[in-house]
Amino acid sequence: MEAFWDYAKAFLAGGTLCAIGQILIDKTKLTPARILTAYVVAGVILGAAGIYQPFADWAGAGASVPLTGFGNLLAKGVREAVAKDGVIGIFTGGFTAAAGGICAAVFFGYLFALIFRSGEKK
């Protein structure tokens, strides 16, 4: 029964973030790229303020998988690197924390670009 509630919380949190994004697409003139960027920046700001991590702990994958979770991961990496390495951690922390996800995105993007051909829809 505990697994059910974990899934329910993840669905509720992730669904809410997606619904907010859809409302922004439908009701504003913001482009999807700007909305995605805003999500990452919001995750960085909320993560730096210490607000996002308790939410992510409660929501699980519903908060860690969306782009706000990526922003939180960047903020967490910078915070830890600054504590360990000082000022240089500002420049290295985010890349170190997110390296696995970034590498996976580049690798699979390249792999699928080799498999599928892009083109205009007809």
Side-chain angles (χ1 to χ4, degrees), residues 14-29:
T16 301
L17 289 170
C18 290
I20 292 169
Q22 189 63 50
I23 290 168
L24 290 172
I25 288 171
D26 292 343
K27 301 293 183 185
T28 68
K29 293 185 179 186

Side-chain angles (χ1 to χ4, degrees), residues 40-50 52-53 68-82 89 93-95 97-98:
V40 173
V41 170
V44 169
I45 293 169
L46 293 173
Y52 199 82
Q53 192 58 48
T68 49
F70 179 68
N72 179 51
L73 180 65
L74 292 174
K76 183 178 178 183
V78 169
R79 187 171 43 249
E80 290 173 358
V82 167
F95 293 117

Side-chain angles (χ1 to χ4, degrees), residues 2-119:
E2 184 178 333
F4 170 79
W5 291 114
D6 289 341
Y7 289 126
K9 290 187 290 186
F11 179 79
L12 179 66
T16 301
L17 289 170
C18 290
I20 292 169
Q22 189 63 50
I23 290 168
L24 290 172
I25 288 171
D26 292 343
K27 301 293 183 185
T28 68
K29 293 185 179 186
L30 292 172
T31 63
R34 289 183 184 213
I35 294 168
L36 295 175
T37 303
Y39 268 43
V40 173
V41 170
V44 169
I45 293 169
L46 293 173
I51 297 170
Y52 199 82
Q53 192 58 48
F55 172 63
D57 292 341
W58 176 80
S64 62
V65 171
L67 284 173
T68 49
F70 179 68
N72 179 51
L73 180 65
L74 292 174
K76 183 178 178 183
V78 169
R79 187 171 43 249
E80 290 173 358
V82 167
K84 181 181 172 195
D85 301 327
V87 176
I88 195 72
I90 294 170
F91 303 105
T92 63
F95 293 117
T96 303
I102 293 170
C103 288
V106 170
F107 172 77
F108 286 110
Y110 180 71
L111 180 66
F112 283 102
L114 291 174
I115 296 171
F116 300 101
R117 293 207 173 263
S118 64

